[in-house]
Amino acid sequence: MKEFEEKFAEKINSALGSKDPAHDLAHVHRVVTTVKRLAKEENADENIVIPAAWLHDLVNLPKDHPDRKRASVLAADEAIVFLKSVEYPEKYFQGIHHAICAHSFSASIRPETIEAQIVQDADRLDALGAIGLGRLFSVITQLQRPFYDLADPFAENRPLNDKLYGIDHIHIKLKSIATTMNTASAKAEGLRRMKYIDEFLNQLKSEILF
């Protein structure tokens, strides 16, 4: 696997570049590390989850791209083409393809295998905690959206709208991610990371409503 992982790293590095800190090689490394830990804890097949984790963002479209919902399927298709080129065992292709397709929140594809559940969990865990907040603000900046609504930062008297305000995304998406992990290991870690985000929100409130 180590020989293949070197090829996976080279491929994803050339595909991602360095324009998006929220979806760069460091993100992929974190997902791979988490996948390996979850696979051991949940007794999943590393021959499926490891390549799926390395290649899950092989096609990465901006959040506001019209084909964003199809990005994970496009990535899965591209991954299989690449795996064939490096002569990775074909018996794992179906499982890898499904795991990559199902990892995406926007794709709304249900993970049907423990391997797909783990890849999805690992990717979503990276949206939580300290690194999740860093990635959130990176995306907000790229989309040129304000961090919060100056008149009503915490949406106490208005509908939440993360297409207008960055902080709203925490309430609309991140809190739901923390409670909808697939595996027991990821659920515990997700709640731990969400606690950190709640602490951040309390700190933010104390600063901007001083």
Side-chain angles (χ1 to χ4, degrees):
M1 179 62 77
K2 183 177 181 181
E3 178 183 349
F4 280 116
E5 285 198 78
E6 291 175 356
K7 295 177 180 179
F8 300 159
E10 290 175 3
K11 178 64 176 179
I12 195 65
N13 189 36
S14 64
L16 291 179
S18 58
K19 294 182 180 180
D20 181 2
H23 295 88
D24 60 2
L25 189 60
H27 162 68
V28 174
H29 273 274
R30 291 190 300 271
V31 172
V32 170
T33 298
T34 301
V35 150
K36 289 178 179 179
R37 177 170 61 83
L38 292 177
K40 286 183 171 60
E41 294 174 356
E42 303 292 338
N43 196 30
D45 192 339
E46 292 187 343
N47 295 297
I48 293 175
V49 296
I50 291 176
W54 275 111
L55 303 172
H56 77 280
D57 275 344
L58 197 53
V59 174
N60 180 44
L61 301 176
K63 293 288 186 183
D64 56 352
H65 193 284
D67 288 334
R68 175 68 183 180
K69 292 183 179 181
R70 297 187 61 244
S72 65
V73 175
L74 296 174
D77 291 345
E78 186 77 12
I80 298 304
V81 172
F82 168 70
L83 289 171
K84 288 180 179 178
S85 74
V86 297
E87 299 183 342
Y88 195 76
E90 290 190 16
K91 64 181 179 179
Y92 301 118
F93 284 3
Q94 184 176 353
I96 293 168
H97 189 275
H98 173 61
I100 295 176
C101 287
H103 91 271
S104 170
F105 189 91
S106 58
S108 298
I109 298 173
R110 182 182 178 86
E112 301 291 345
T113 64
I114 186 62
E115 289 78 21
Q117 291 175 1
I118 284 173
V119 174
Q120 185 185 87
D121 282 352
D123 184 62
R124 294 184 178 187
L125 281 172
D126 209 53
L128 301 176
I131 195 65
L133 288 174
R135 295 178 69 215
L136 171 62
F137 283 106
S138 173
V139 172
I140 293 170
T141 301
Q142 291 177 58
L143 296 175
Q144 298 184 333
R145 294 172 184 167
F147 293 164
Y148 56 85
D149 176 14
L150 184 61
D152 188 359
F154 300 98
E156 295 175 343
N157 297 294
R158 64 172 175 82
L160 290 165
N161 189 340
D162 61 353
K163 288 182 170 53
L164 293 178
Y165 309 110
I167 294 298
D168 286 21
H169 191 68
I170 293 175
H171 301 284
I172 291 174
K173 182 177 178 181
L174 300 192
K175 287 189 175 182
S176 66
I177 285 178
T179 59
T180 56
M181 294 291 175
N182 299 289
T183 62
S185 302
K187 286 177 182 177
E189 179 63 14
L191 292 175
R192 187 184 75 83
R193 296 190 186 194
M194 194 62 226
K195 182 179 179 181
Y196 179 89
I197 292 179
D198 287 335
E199 292 170 354
F200 163 80
L201 289 173
N202 289 333
Q203 176 67 21
L204 179 65
K205 183 175 289 189
S206 73
E207 294 178 8
I208 65 178
L209 300 180
F210 183 77

